[in-house]
Amino acid sequence: MAAPTLALLVTLAALHSAAVVLAGDPPFSCGPTSAEASEGLAFCDVTLSPAQRAADLVSRLTPAEKIAQLGDQATGVPRLGVPGYKWWNEALHGLATSGKGLHFDVVGGVRAATSFPQVLLTAAAFDDDLWFRIGQAIGREARALFNVGQAEGLTIWSPNVNIFRDPRWGRGQETPGEDPAVASRYAVAFVRGIQGNSSSSLLQTSACCKHATAYDLEDWNGVARYSFVARVTAQDLEDTFNPPFRSCVVEGKASCIMCAYTAINGVPACANTDLLTGTVRGDWGLDGYVASDCDAVAIMRDAQRYAPTPEDAVAVSLKAGLDIDCGSYIQQHATAAIQQGKLTELDIDKALVNLFAVRMRLGHFDGDPRKNMYGALSAADICTPEHRSLALEAAQDGIVLLKNDGGILPLDRSTVTSAAVIGPNSNDGMALIANYFGPPCESTTPLQGLQSYVNNVRFLAGCSSAACDVAVTDQAVVLSGSEDYVFLFMGLSQQQESEGKDRTSLLLPGMQQSLITAVADASKRPVILVLLSGGPVDITFAQSNPKIGAILWAGYPGQAGGLAIAKVLFGDHNPSGRLPMTWYPEDFTKVPMTDMRMRADPTSGYPGRSYRFYQGNAVYKFGYGLSYSTFSSRLLYGTSMPALSSTVLAGLRETVTEEGDRSYHIDDIGTDGCEQLKFPAMVEVQNHGPMDGKHSALMFLRWPNTNGGRPASQLIGFMSQHLKAGETANLRFDISPCEHFSRVRADGMKVIDIGSHFLTVDNHAIEIRFEA
């Protein structure tokens, strides 16, 4: 059967939604004339705290009614005026139909929502204001869809802030990349945007950061995510895998954490008391609920063999701190678990209070939601000109220029008389919207984008799909030799990388490489290669081929992707994206995906992972990206520790390693001390021209050596600035030594080394000494 087109999928999604729900009134409880409000039930009392109201509601439920609330599809309680609720809703880069509660109605309702670029491309902008605005737009559209009766839930199970540890991971595209600082900043910005960054306690939507923790494998070499036991060191957990989730909760105030399938050092994440109760709710202070990944409770018995019976799986997960199951397993087996004495009703009450407190914060028990602060949002607030413009901005700002030999780009549209457009991703709308998508407001493919700039365009797919098992190379060669310019749109698709599917090779699929090479050899002038993909690909052959003049990485760029690419190619936008992940060579595939170690082990030949620890050659390095302008960045001298640092550090206990390294424990410095140690660092950024453009300044910390597992370098800050040609700006980075100078020892403890540290921007460095 032929692959469905984007238009067909949009239609099918709408028809499916129409069969489920029609546009109408949003569900709510405690309206002014309702029985529950008239009777003065405390859960309707808005003067009480969400937790108090939730506890009152839970106290009124029967055991059967309570258990019915513990799955992603919670039944209503008509006698109390409580409507049914669907917890599972997705909005990774726009409202999606992947969950259960969002519907795009055909009959008189909303049929589409703004589709932003897949997260990895958005991350390449290194711009947390952009990330916040995207989250804000998605949150507004979700609330609007709810208000018009096409959403049965406002709990959004996004974002995915796992670390893109291995380039083969099928879901790396959903994440902000390989760096914990970037993932943390993305998490905070997106969560604040989607939940509503206001002084009100009312949530616009509820965000859920997933999947805690150390989850980054789908199905590799016979090892599936459902049964994978991740052996993770305390050091890697603390400085790589956990920081984005900590930031989600502590700074972003996310109201949900989703636990992963992963069994961390033998204990499934959703049954891990230390993680869910000790760390997430205890140390980080989660004010919200913990959800399982779908069927994660069931697989504790069925795949992981961690629990001997269904009742044991239910009991161990709820007692560990899980509140709701994505699926119906807990609903099916909780009654028997109570009867067998493995679970108590109090265990269930604790979970339900967490769940209903979030629904209280969403305003579901405050009467008609169309009368609250988000109540005016309607169908007119979905697919707005502002949101469409933001989707274009995000795609433009994320595109990374990887190669531009001889300044072949940007093109002058007046001189491009004809163009050949070749490649399976040239005119495929599905290549724009990646996974976890909904029907987009509009869609501009790369072919359509180029046609808006060039009158005479001839198109050939070259392959039937990105798999490129069969290529019509002869036809492509003839076409490329007959046109003025040749554009190749190649890369990957969800058939190569997706949820449930990891790659086994980093090369372009099938016959793509030979097709590209043949076309380049036959063309009149160097060709322009545009890659649509999530994960990195080894394109060493294209780097060194003089017949390939320019290379762009455009990720999966969303509904406006084709127009964004065309604007970059023709100079209406100056590219500023920088890679949020290392592009590894094919040789890296010798490394088992199951080896979770971040740090290199030279004695065994293990190369390490990410720019922080990888000791091998890279096709392209983290942070790489070209521009049509020349930018320079330098740290301004005068950057130094505050004078009072000696007072703060005086008398602190020093730790001395066998190698003679001296350090202070972060806990010994204390909150007040850490605050006093903060200082500003100023970076001068200049655009030397010839074009106006945006530049992202990346600031790294480097240690004198990498002993003890120290990173080779660590990103500690980034800032984007738009500069006119010839303009200079000073950017202020606020440095917190306790956060930015600290490192994690092998035992998981955070310390700051006594002595030299180096702040670096581009190739410019300043030494900062940390000592009493």
Side-chain angles (χ1 to χ4, degrees):
M1 180 178 176
T5 65
L6 178 62
L8 177 60
L9 283 174
V10 171
T11 303
L12 289 174
L15 289 170
H16 171 73
S17 298
V20 176
V21 64
L22 298 178
D25 296 329
F28 61 89
S29 187
C30 300
T33 62
S34 67
E36 59 270 20
S38 300
E39 294 174 18
L41 302 186
F43 68 79
C44 293
D45 186 350
V46 297
T47 66
L48 299 178
S49 71
Q52 290 173 314
R53 298 173 68 189
D56 176 75
L57 175 55
V58 171
S59 72
R60 300 176 187 276
L61 300 177
T62 67
E65 289 169 341
K66 290 177 180 180
I67 291 170
Q69 302 299 311
L70 295 175
D72 66 90
Q73 298 188 74
T75 60
V77 186
R79 66 182 184 84
L80 294 174
V82 177
Y85 189 75
K86 294 186 177 178
W87 289 88
W88 180 11
N89 306 284
E90 301 282 358
L92 182 68
H93 57 105
L95 302 186
T97 55
S98 311
K100 300 284 183 65
L102 304 183
H103 310 289
F104 292 92
D105 183 3
V106 169
V107 184
V110 175
R111 298 181 62 182
T114 310
S115 180
F116 295 96
Q118 180 63 293
V119 175
L120 192 64
L121 184 69
T122 303
F126 285 87
D127 184 344
D128 45 11
D129 175 67
L130 174 67
W131 304 335
F132 171 81
R133 287 184 287 129
I134 290 173
Q136 187 178 54
I138 294 172
R140 287 175 63 85
E141 294 197 353
R143 178 61 80 157
L145 199 69
F146 182 81
N147 287 346
V148 300
Q150 289 181 231
E152 298 175 88
L154 282 171
T155 40
I156 307 296
W157 289 354
S158 302
N160 181 342
V161 293
N162 290 113
I163 295 299
F164 196 171
R165 174 187 63 95
D166 190 289
R168 293 162 287 187
W169 185 32
R171 300 187 73 178
Q173 58 179 294
E174 301 176 23
T175 77
E178 70 181 29
D179 181 71
V182 175
S184 295
R185 287 267 294 269
Y186 180 87
V188 172
F190 185 88
V191 168
R192 287 177 175 172
I194 199 169
Q195 290 197 158
N197 189 26
S198 71
S199 57
S200 171
S201 59
L202 181 68
L203 293 173
Q204 178 172 245
T205 70
S206 164
C208 191
C209 295
K210 60 187 185 184
H211 315 77
T213 185
Y215 165 56
D216 47 24
L217 179 146
E218 300 300 303
D219 188 353
W220 177 84
N221 200 29
V223 179
R225 58 180 177 165
Y226 303 117
S227 56
F228 176 49
V229 178
R231 300 296 175 186
V232 189
T233 68
Q235 190 175 34
D236 287 341
L237 273 176
E238 182 62 29
D239 78 353
T240 298
F241 297 115
N242 282 352
F245 296 100
R246 181 190 303 116
S247 295
C248 263
V249 174
V250 176
E251 298 173 69
K253 306 301 180 185
S255 46
C256 170
I257 288 289
M258 177 182 286
C259 49
Y261 297 119
T262 316
I264 305 160
N265 298 323
V267 181
C270 294
N272 193 320
T273 304
D274 289 342
L275 174 65
L276 302 185
T277 298
T279 300
V280 172
R281 200 171 290 281
D283 296 342
W284 301 344
L286 173 68
D287 181 12
Y289 70 102
V290 176
S292 79
D293 206 341
C294 293
D295 298 319
V297 179
I299 69 167
M300 290 180 196
R301 173 184 178 271
D302 298 339
Q304 295 170 330
R305 302 299 179 189
Y306 182 78
T309 69
E311 294 76 20
D312 288 303
V314 168
V316 73
S317 58
L318 287 173
K319 287 179 178 294
L322 183 70
D323 297 313
I324 194 167
D325 176 26
C326 178
S328 59
Y329 201 74
I330 291 181
Q331 291 168 319
Q332 294 171 18
H333 299 290
T335 298
I338 292 174
Q339 293 170 344
Q340 295 172 20
K342 296 174 179 177
L343 190 67
T344 69
E345 195 170 343
L346 289 177
D347 294 323
I348 292 175
D349 289 352
K350 180 179 66 174
L352 292 180
V353 169
N354 292 332
L355 294 171
F356 276 111
V358 169
R359 291 186 63 183
M360 298 291 174
R361 292 166 65 192
L362 286 166
H364 293 165
F365 294 86
D366 297 345
D368 192 337
R370 291 168 296 191
K371 296 181 180 180
N372 65 36
M373 63 181 293
Y374 300 116
L377 293 173
S378 68
D381 296 289
I382 300 174
C383 291
T384 63
E386 179 186 11
H387 292 177
R388 294 173 194 241
S389 176
L390 182 59
L392 175 61
E393 177 189 348
Q396 289 177 160
D397 286 0
I399 291 172
V400 181
L401 180 62
L402 297 174
K403 178 180 179 180
N404 194 22
D405 284 359
I408 187 175
L409 298 179
L411 299 171
D412 181 349
R413 64 189 302 177
S414 67
T415 66
V416 181
T417 58
S418 66
V421 174
I422 299 171
N425 285 337
S426 302
N427 200 36
D428 181 4
M430 294 304 299
L432 302 176
I433 58 177
N435 64 356
Y436 285 93
F437 63 86
C441 312
E442 57 196 6
S443 180
T444 305
T445 67
L447 174 62
Q448 293 167 334
L450 283 174
Q451 287 172 332
S452 68
Y453 279 82
V454 181
N455 291 327
N456 183 12
V457 177
R458 296 176 64 192
F459 164 61
L460 179 71
C463 312
S464 60
S465 70
C468 205
D469 296 323
V470 177
V472 289
T473 305
D474 291 344
Q475 295 179 41
V477 165
V478 171
L479 177 59
S480 63
S482 65
E483 302 303 320
D484 192 17
Y485 281 85
V486 177
F487 301 87
L488 288 147
F489 291 93
M490 313 299 283
L492 306 176
S493 74
Q494 300 306 303
Q495 281 64 54
Q496 286 78 49
E497 53 175 355
S498 61
E499 184 168 5
K501 183 176 294 185
D502 296 319
R503 286 186 288 160
T504 57
S505 172
L506 297 179
L507 299 176
L508 287 170
M511 302 179 69
Q512 282 197 40
Q513 180 171 326
S514 62
L515 176 63
I516 293 168
T517 302
V519 167
D521 288 343
S523 65
K524 298 176 182 178
R525 63 179 85 230
V527 301
I528 296 162
L529 173 62
V530 181
L531 298 170
L532 273 64
S533 74
V537 286
D538 182 350
I539 52 166
T540 305
F541 78 97
Q543 278 183 317
S544 57
N545 188 340
K547 292 286 286 180
I548 299 174
I551 307 173
L552 284 79
W553 176 68
Y556 297 120
Q559 66 179 44
L563 180 57
I565 291 168
K567 282 181 171 288
V568 169
L569 292 174
F570 286 91
D572 285 340
H573 182 81
N574 193 348
S576 58
R578 305 181 72 161
L579 292 178
M581 70 293 189
T582 302
W583 281 35
Y584 298 86
E586 173 69 3
D587 190 60
F588 189 84
T589 58
K590 296 176 182 177
V591 176
M593 275 193 77
T594 50
D595 194 325
M596 298 293 293
R597 291 176 296 168
M598 295 300 299
R599 288 155 171 84
D601 179 8
T603 61
S604 66
Y606 183 69
R609 298 176 182 274
S610 85
Y611 77 94
R612 298 159 67 221
F613 305 110
Y614 178 56
Q615 295 184 357
N617 296 320
V619 178
Y620 291 108
K621 295 182 178 181
F622 173 89
Y624 179 82
L626 303 175
S627 169
Y628 296 150
S629 292
T630 300
F631 288 91
S632 64
S633 302
R634 69 183 184 96
L635 279 154
L636 297 179
Y637 288 97
T639 296
S640 62
M641 292 284 290
L644 53 75
S645 62
S646 58
T647 304
V648 174
L649 303 177
L652 290 182
R653 173 174 57 92
E654 293 185 13
T655 299
V656 182
T657 66
E658 293 181 359
E659 295 80 13
D661 293 328
R662 300 159 56 224
S663 62
Y664 295 121
H665 280 261
I666 294 293
D667 291 344
D668 290 344
I669 298 174
T671 302
D672 291 342
C674 287
E675 188 66 28
Q676 294 177 58
L677 290 174
K678 293 180 179 179
F679 65 94
M682 301 301 296
V683 175
E684 180 187 85
V685 181
Q686 184 173 0
N687 181 355
H688 300 276
M691 293 177 61
D692 298 352
K694 187 177 176 182
H695 179 70
S696 294
L698 310 186
M699 181 179 289
F700 294 85
L701 182 74
R702 180 170 54 81
W703 287 263
N705 59 65
T706 57
N707 297 340
R710 293 176 180 85
S713 63
Q714 170 63 61
L715 182 71
I716 62 171
F718 52 88
M719 194 174 298
S720 292
Q721 179 71 38
H722 189 276
L723 296 168
K724 295 180 179 179
E727 186 180 3
T728 299
N730 290 340
L731 309 181
R732 173 179 169 136
F733 288 74
D734 292 317
I735 306 301
S736 172
C738 289
E739 176 184 357
H740 299 134
F741 284 20
S742 62
R743 66 178 179 88
V744 177
R745 300 187 318 199
D747 61 3
M749 294 295 296
K750 294 184 75 171
V751 299
I752 302 182
D753 292 325
I754 298 172
S756 295
H757 299 74
F758 299 90
L759 292 179
T760 67
V761 176
D762 289 344
N763 295 318
H764 191 254
I766 288 180
E767 181 181 8
I768 305 289
R769 292 194 61 80
F770 193 90
E771 55 193 349

